Amino acid sequence: MDIICIRRTQLAEESHRQDSVNLLTFILLLTLTILTIWLFKHRRVRFLHETGLAMIYGLLVGVILRYGIPSTSYHNKTPPSCTLQAGPVSTVLLNVSGKFFEYTLKGEINLREIHSVEQNDMLRKLTFDPEVFFNILLPPIIFHAGYSLKKRHFFRNLGSIITYAFLGTAISCFIIGNLMYGVVKMMQVLGQLTDKFYYTDCLFFGAIISATDPVTVLAIFNELHADGDLYALLFGESVMNDAVAIVLSSSIVAYQPTGANTHTFDASAFFKSVGIFLGIFSGSFAMGAVTGVVTALISLLHLHCFPLLETALFFLMSWSTFLLAEACGFTGVVAVLFCGITQAHYTCNNLSEESTKRTKQLFEVLHFLAENFIFSYMGLALFTFQKHVFSPIFIFGAFIAIFIGRALNIYPLSFLINLGRRHKIRGNFQHMMMFAGLRGAMAFALAIRDTATYARQMMFTTTLLIVFFTVWVCGGGTTPMLSWLHIRSECKRLDQCPIIQIILASSFSPQDGAQSEGQSKTKQESAWLFRLWYTFDHNYLKPILTHSGPPLTSTLPACCGPLARCLTSPQAYENHEPLQDNDSDLILNEGDLTLTYGDTAITANGASSSSGDSTSEDALERELDTREHELLSRGTRLVFPMEDHA
């Protein structure tokens, strides 16, 4: 009996050491990636992004772990056999000499690997539980996307972004699904299909592979200061697209027709899935927004004296949004995305200056580490994952299908969107959006979440290869593509910008009674839905959820005076000027260079506007621009001291 106890202790110690080595492997991967990123940035290398670099390092480590470590085993005896009609069970109770022992299912082992169980166990430990991705790694990535959203360009292109994200993702999903169903039928005729592969499986693959993640392209756009509207379209589509893809995949899984054949088309089941999609998305959206509002109300408490507690509470409330949505049967990705947007709009304005910096840096670091960890693991999983199903026909068909699906998504929708846009989405922008449809962390996480069946294993392998190709080829070709499509970059330095030089050389003395032939670019291009929302938000929500904005006593009817005084914070009476949204990291166009002098706004294109008539659009302009004599250009604020000529 003592020998058995010693043996158990030794196994526990060996398992502990193995787990430490596995975690150390990933930490060293991240460390090596960060050091190489620094070298690339120092040398201004742009042909390979940090995510592609992390994947390469993961591939190298995966090759070493899979083929460089000799397989040793002590299981030379033939394992005992038993027959279970219902298939394998997750837990087995075994009676050994009157003592009961519990064994859990680790997974299926191929017959040819029956004598290398130790190596299989090591590779299995390197294969993370999919729930780790969804509950630990994805929340900071998605939250950071919402929290760091560039609101000005995002809301200016809100209608176009929603169209691409919702309608475009649905079009891409069904086109890819139907094309892949044709590929599956061809594989069946050629005898290349060894197990069942249903139409719903093809639609599921279309949903997960429609999740775009142009992190490489956006990073290069940011470095090159590319066009702000193009950046906003790509970023907004990718953020909303991830949320739509995950809800769409859940709705397809929930499709269950009545009758003997559960994979035929059933109208009632179809509309039920549509209802599930709308219910899950709207419920997740509401939960995220409500959680963000609750956090904003909590932040109104006097916690400024304790920045550490303020930051910790903000962090926990943000993360709990994801888990709360998942626990309630909704989608945490959608909830935490809109929670981040809500908190950036309201809660962030109530935090102390120290807490604001801490939260931004905290989620930025978590986002960076989680994203690079996932891409490192992708490279590792190509060799450590033990259930790959490589099918050349399916892989080649998938590449063709996603290309066609992306094209039929971008070009027709861009044509329809341009019918109602003042500033059209030009052809070179459309080509760049077509090229920038990379697949990344979300597609991988959705694919690895369920690899129990033959069809799902083939999808996972194909998704992994598609991510590799798009990150390396499309991501690496971003800079040449921008040059080839003649998409201009903003000036890297303000003093080198001809527009800045013209403005600096000009005299800012507006003539009395000067009227503008056209309004500023922000007013022209702001979506009507955003202007409508802004009026309600500026007059009613911000006075309640923040310490700024006009007091409710000046916006609500006189009969609501007691309620208005109760809901308005005392600070709102002192700080009744419009809140200045911190969009210092925006990438702006030349037309967005705006100088305000007194009651007149002068843009870089020479247009000026008088604010004699105070409207909600004027308030919007004042909030998005600056109240002082300031010039905004790509996040740099120049303050011009001017004399008062009055």
Side-chain angles (χ1 to χ4, degrees):
M1 193 67 183
D2 293 338
I3 297 176
I4 296 177
C5 294
I6 294 173
R7 180 58 178 167
R8 288 180 184 173
T9 304
Q10 292 176 347
L11 290 176
E13 291 178 355
E14 291 177 2
S15 178
H16 174 72
R17 284 196 297 269
Q18 183 62 51
D19 292 339
S20 300
V21 170
N22 293 340
L23 292 176
L24 180 62
T25 300
F26 286 106
I27 291 177
L28 291 178
L29 272 175
L30 289 175
T31 304
L32 185 60
T33 302
I34 291 172
L35 292 176
T36 313
I37 290 171
W38 170 82
L39 180 62
F40 277 24
K41 288 183 179 295
H42 183 68
R43 298 293 183 182
R44 299 183 182 275
V45 177
R46 292 194 181 99
F47 69 89
L48 184 62
H49 188 250
E50 58 198 44
T51 54
L53 186 66
M55 294 170 68
I56 292 176
Y57 286 145
L59 281 171
L60 296 176
V61 174
V63 170
I64 295 173
L65 293 176
R66 185 60 183 261
Y67 302 108
I69 300 177
S71 59
T72 58
S73 178
Y74 302 100
H75 299 274
N76 296 321
K77 296 182 180 180
T78 303
S81 301
C82 64
T83 303
L84 295 175
Q85 295 181 353
V89 293
S90 59
T91 304
V92 174
L93 293 177
L94 191 62
N95 187 351
V96 180
S97 302
K99 293 183 177 294
F100 289 91
F101 297 89
E102 180 182 2
Y103 293 85
T104 57
L105 179 67
K106 288 188 174 181
E108 183 181 1
I109 298 176
N110 295 329
L111 186 61
R112 63 179 181 273
E113 298 177 348
I114 197 68
H115 296 299
S116 58
V117 177
E118 275 73 18
Q119 187 187 33
N120 293 336
D121 188 60
M122 180 194 67
L123 297 178
R124 190 182 294 112
K125 286 184 178 181
L126 287 171
T127 304
F128 279 87
D129 188 341
E131 296 304 317
V132 172
F133 285 96
F134 268 81
N135 295 330
I136 298 179
L137 297 178
L138 276 184
I141 295 176
I142 302 300
F143 180 84
H144 180 265
Y147 192 63
S148 62
L149 188 68
K150 297 164 179 60
K151 294 184 288 295
R152 187 175 188 177
H153 281 280
F154 178 83
F155 286 111
R156 175 183 297 172
N157 298 278
L158 182 62
S160 303
I161 290 172
I162 291 177
T163 303
Y164 286 125
F166 283 85
L167 188 57
T169 304
I171 291 173
S172 177
C173 168
F174 284 98
I175 289 177
I176 294 175
N178 284 279
L179 290 176
M180 294 311 299
Y181 187 65
V183 173
V184 167
K185 286 297 183 182
M186 183 178 66
M187 292 173 60
Q188 191 174 11
V189 171
L190 298 176
Q192 298 294 319
L193 207 62
T194 60
D195 207 338
K196 297 178 181 179
F197 208 120
Y198 298 106
Y199 178 68
T200 52
D201 294 325
C202 296
L203 287 179
F204 179 81
F205 178 72
I208 65 175
I209 208 64
S210 295
T212 60
D213 185 17
V215 57
T216 305
V217 177
L218 293 177
I220 295 175
F221 275 22
N222 205 11
E223 292 178 6
L224 297 178
H225 318 313
D227 186 272
D229 285 331
L230 178 60
Y231 183 96
L233 287 172
L234 279 172
F235 181 80
E237 182 206 4
S238 66
V239 169
M240 300 293 292
N241 167 276
D242 287 347
V244 174
I246 190 171
V247 179
L248 190 60
S249 62
S250 301
S251 303
I252 293 173
V253 172
Y255 176 79
Q256 294 180 348
T258 58
N261 191 353
T262 59
H263 295 278
T264 58
F265 178 78
D266 187 286
S268 61
F270 172 77
F271 287 109
K272 181 181 178 181
S273 296
V274 173
I276 291 174
F277 173 83
L278 297 176
I280 291 178
F281 194 93
S282 58
S284 303
F285 165 77
M287 183 168 290
V290 168
T291 308
V293 168
V294 170
T295 309
L297 292 174
I298 294 176
S299 65
L300 290 174
L301 301 175
H302 295 285
L303 297 175
H304 296 76
C305 298
F306 308 99
L308 180 61
L309 300 181
E310 198 175 29
T311 305
L313 185 63
F314 184 92
F315 174 79
L316 294 176
M317 290 292 293
S318 305
W319 205 303
S320 63
T321 304
F322 183 92
L323 301 177
L324 179 62
E326 292 290 333
C328 294
F330 296 110
T331 301
V333 170
V334 180
V336 78
L337 170 64
F338 287 101
C339 176
I341 296 175
T342 305
Q343 290 189 353
H345 194 57
Y346 298 115
T347 312
C348 183
N349 300 311
N350 300 331
L351 300 178
S352 62
E353 183 178 356
E354 184 177 354
S355 296
T356 303
K357 293 180 180 179
R358 282 183 176 181
T359 53
K360 183 177 181 180
Q361 293 173 355
L362 174 63
F363 281 104
E364 190 173 0
V365 170
L366 289 176
H367 164 264
F368 174 81
L369 292 177
E371 189 170 61
N372 281 278
F373 181 91
I374 290 179
F375 279 94
S376 298
Y377 181 76
M378 287 184 195
L380 200 68
L382 187 63
F383 294 98
T384 59
F385 187 73
Q386 297 176 293
K387 299 178 181 179
H388 281 301
V389 177
F390 290 93
S391 175
I393 298 178
F394 190 87
I395 294 171
F396 180 77
F399 274 99
I400 300 298
I402 62 172
F403 178 82
I404 297 175
R406 183 70 178 172
L408 295 180
N409 167 6
I410 296 298
Y411 295 116
L413 290 183
S414 298
F415 173 78
L416 296 176
I417 290 171
N418 282 337
L419 296 178
R421 273 180 71 104
R422 293 190 182 94
H423 297 269
K424 310 300 182 184
I425 302 176
R426 301 194 300 269
N428 57 346
F429 280 19
Q430 298 177 33
H431 299 329
M432 193 66 221
M433 293 179 67
M434 169 71 190
F435 181 79
L438 285 80
R439 272 62 180 176
M442 181 58 68
F444 173 79
L446 289 172
I448 200 176
R449 198 172 192 181
D450 182 8
T451 57
T453 63
Y454 169 81
R456 298 296 175 89
Q457 293 167 8
M458 186 182 295
M459 293 180 204
F460 173 71
T461 304
T462 305
T463 301
L464 202 57
L465 295 177
I466 290 174
V467 172
F468 286 164
F469 179 84
T470 56
V471 169
W472 288 337
V473 177
C474 298
T478 299
T479 303
M481 183 62 69
L482 285 172
S483 177
W484 186 66
L485 293 175
H486 303 289
I487 297 177
R488 60 172 177 78
S489 298
E490 300 294 339
C491 300
K492 295 183 179 180
R493 290 181 53 189
L494 286 173
D495 56 357
Q496 295 176 350
C497 183
I499 295 179
I500 301 297
Q501 295 172 357
I502 293 173
I503 293 176
L504 292 175
S506 302
S507 174
F508 292 99
S509 300
Q511 299 177 358
D512 296 336
Q515 297 295 329
S516 169
E517 296 180 359
Q519 295 178 337
S520 68
K521 193 177 180 69
T522 302
K523 289 184 182 179
Q524 290 177 347
E525 294 188 2
S526 295
W528 66 269
L529 183 62
F530 173 53
R531 295 199 301 267
L532 184 64
W533 159 255
Y534 175 82
T535 303
F536 176 77
D537 174 63
H538 179 265
N539 293 334
Y540 304 109
L541 292 183
K542 279 192 175 178
I544 298 175
L545 300 177
T546 66
H547 293 304
S548 61
L552 289 177
T553 52
S554 63
T555 57
L556 287 176
C559 60
C560 302
L563 179 63
R565 286 190 293 271
C566 178
L567 294 178
T568 304
S569 65
Q571 290 85 346
Y573 293 98
E574 302 174 2
N575 306 322
H576 59 273
E577 294 293 340
L579 185 67
Q580 303 299 324
D581 285 333
N582 183 17
D583 285 336
S584 59
D585 54 348
L586 287 176
I587 304 174
L588 302 180
N589 300 319
E590 288 105 350
D592 293 326
L593 300 177
T594 303
L595 182 85
T596 60
Y597 184 89
D599 295 332
T600 304
I602 303 176
T603 60
N605 56 14
S608 63
S609 60
S610 177
S611 58
D613 297 326
S614 179
T615 62
S616 61
E617 291 190 2
D618 295 328
L620 170 61
E621 183 68 15
R622 286 195 300 271
E623 179 169 342
L624 291 178
D625 292 328
T626 54
R627 294 177 55 248
E628 300 172 333
H629 305 85
E630 297 176 352
L631 188 65
L632 299 180
S633 177
R634 204 183 62 77
T636 302
R637 179 171 294 172
L638 298 181
V639 181
F640 294 91
M642 297 182 179
E643 298 179 359
D644 192 355
H645 297 277

